[in-house]
Amino acid sequence: MALTRPGVLTRIAWLPLCAALLLLAGLASLALGASDLPLNRLPGLLLHPDDSTESLVIHTLRLPRTLVAALAGAGLGVSGLLLQAVTRNPLADPGILGVEAGGALGILTAVVFFPAAPAWLFVPAAFAGGLLAALAAYSVARSVGVTPLRLALAGVAVASLAGAASRAIQILWEERAQAALSTLAGSLAGRGWEHVAQIAPWMLVGLLLALLLTPRVNVLALGEDVARGLGARTERDSALVTLLGVLLAAASVSVVGPIGFVGLIVPHAARVLVGPDHRFSLPVSALLGAAMLVGADVAARLVDRPAETPVGILVAAVGAPFFVLIARRSR
């Protein structure tokens, strides 16, 4: 027993460290942008808002944008972790499996053909599109024999088809599609309190359910035969975990658009830090995903300020080489 306690304590210690990393990223997000604010003024501006320009920038622009980035990043990180566990595929990611492109197509379809639909329906629409894309990718891979690389390639093909369908809708119904372009831009620019209200309920419930399901995820990650030998109902549990992973990705896509590779990089980093036990790697993935997207958004504001670079471009610049590295290792 004495040999296992240091490992457990070390894994637990990573939780506050990752939370501190998220806090630092959040402070940077509040302080840096087209105009910088001194860090020593942030606590006063947050706790005691006034009529100053700095207070207006914090409370109407940067604070809701930071919260949206943190929620979306946490959702993408945990979504990637769940999908990698249920498929036992190190290349699984909401973007690579076509979930994000399918979700974007679902939102675009809702905006174009149901223009009177309220904003809260964006998440169900993205969920439906993402789920269909994931099922299509798995079906294609299964027809030729599922391997990590074949599933990833099938997901890329499905994502390309979904992207082509989205582009066709934008061309054929250009005026109607304009309303969805800002949502699907893969950017956090202009995100406000209405977007926080749109994503927060889905994300908080989804993350809580994911945490409660970590014992089942641990069993599924052992493989179907082992899981059945331990008495698990693999079909039901796999379906639940997959649906939850798609829901978290869909909620993220509904407010920030498709931002790939967060769900690929973060789970691998979490497992390096705390090991394969999802009771620890899931909360660490949520914190790291949130910190990664908040930090990437800060970099997107600074790289060409006062102009802003879409955050999806910066994440892809890091994620694409990482994907190639993992693909080479998984053969």
Side-chain angles (χ1 to χ4, degrees):
M1 178 68 89
L3 294 176
T4 61
R5 285 192 63 187
V8 172
L9 293 175
T10 301
R11 285 180 287 177
I12 293 175
W14 277 110
L15 291 173
L17 290 175
C18 292
L21 179 63
L22 174 58
L23 178 61
L24 290 175
L27 291 174
S29 180
L30 295 177
L32 303 177
S35 61
D36 296 341
L37 300 176
L39 286 174
N40 59 356
R41 292 203 58 195
L42 290 181
L45 291 171
L46 285 171
L47 298 175
H48 306 287
D50 51 36
D51 296 330
S52 65
T53 302
E54 292 86 354
S55 181
L56 185 66
V57 168
I58 289 290
H59 288 277
T60 63
L61 297 177
R62 293 186 183 174
L63 181 56
R65 177 172 178 162
T66 301
L67 292 175
V68 168
L71 289 169
L76 291 172
V78 173
S79 174
L81 183 74
L82 295 177
L83 294 176
Q84 287 177 16
V86 76
T87 61
R88 302 185 70 211
N89 182 356
L91 299 176
D93 163 80
I96 294 171
L97 296 183
V99 173
E100 292 186 5
L105 178 59
I107 293 174
L108 186 62
T109 301
V111 170
V112 170
F113 298 106
F114 304 96
W120 64 265
L121 282 177
F122 282 6
V123 176
F127 174 75
L131 182 60
L132 289 174
L135 291 175
Y138 185 76
S139 297
V140 171
R142 189 174 183 179
S143 66
V144 294
V146 178
T147 66
L149 192 55
R150 284 174 180 167
L151 183 58
L153 292 175
V156 170
V158 171
S160 298
L161 288 174
S166 296
R167 185 58 182 159
I169 291 175
Q170 293 175 33
I171 293 173
L172 295 175
W173 291 276
E174 183 176 359
E175 292 185 4
R176 295 185 186 180
Q178 290 298 321
L181 294 185
S182 62
T183 301
L184 303 177
S187 172
L188 285 150
R191 301 306 184 262
W193 288 110
E194 67 276 12
H195 297 97
V196 176
Q198 178 181 326
I199 189 178
W202 298 94
M203 198 62 69
L204 295 177
V205 171
L207 292 174
L208 178 59
L209 290 175
L211 189 61
L212 294 175
L213 284 176
T214 50
R216 300 187 186 184
V217 178
N218 279 338
V219 174
L220 290 174
L222 297 174
E224 187 173 345
D225 294 335
V226 176
R228 285 179 177 172
L230 293 174
R233 298 176 61 180
T234 56
E235 293 82 3
R236 181 201 63 184
D237 291 348
S238 296
L240 284 175
V241 174
T242 301
L243 290 173
L244 193 54
V246 173
L247 175 62
L248 290 170
S252 300
V253 170
S254 72
V255 291
V256 300
I259 298 178
F261 298 111
V262 175
L264 176 68
I265 298 172
V266 166
H268 286 279
R271 284 191 290 268
V272 169
L273 295 178
V274 297
D277 189 341
H278 291 83
R279 294 174 300 172
F280 297 98
S281 61
L282 190 142
V284 168
S285 291
L287 293 170
L288 287 179
M292 180 179 178
L293 196 54
V294 172
D297 183 47
V298 174
R301 296 182 226 168
L302 300 181
V303 69
D304 190 30
R305 72 173 169 181
E308 290 194 17
T309 303
V311 67
I313 295 177
L314 295 184
V315 175
V318 177
F322 188 85
F323 171 77
V324 173
L325 176 63
I326 298 300
R328 286 171 62 90
R329 288 186 175 181
S330 66
R331 298 191 185 276

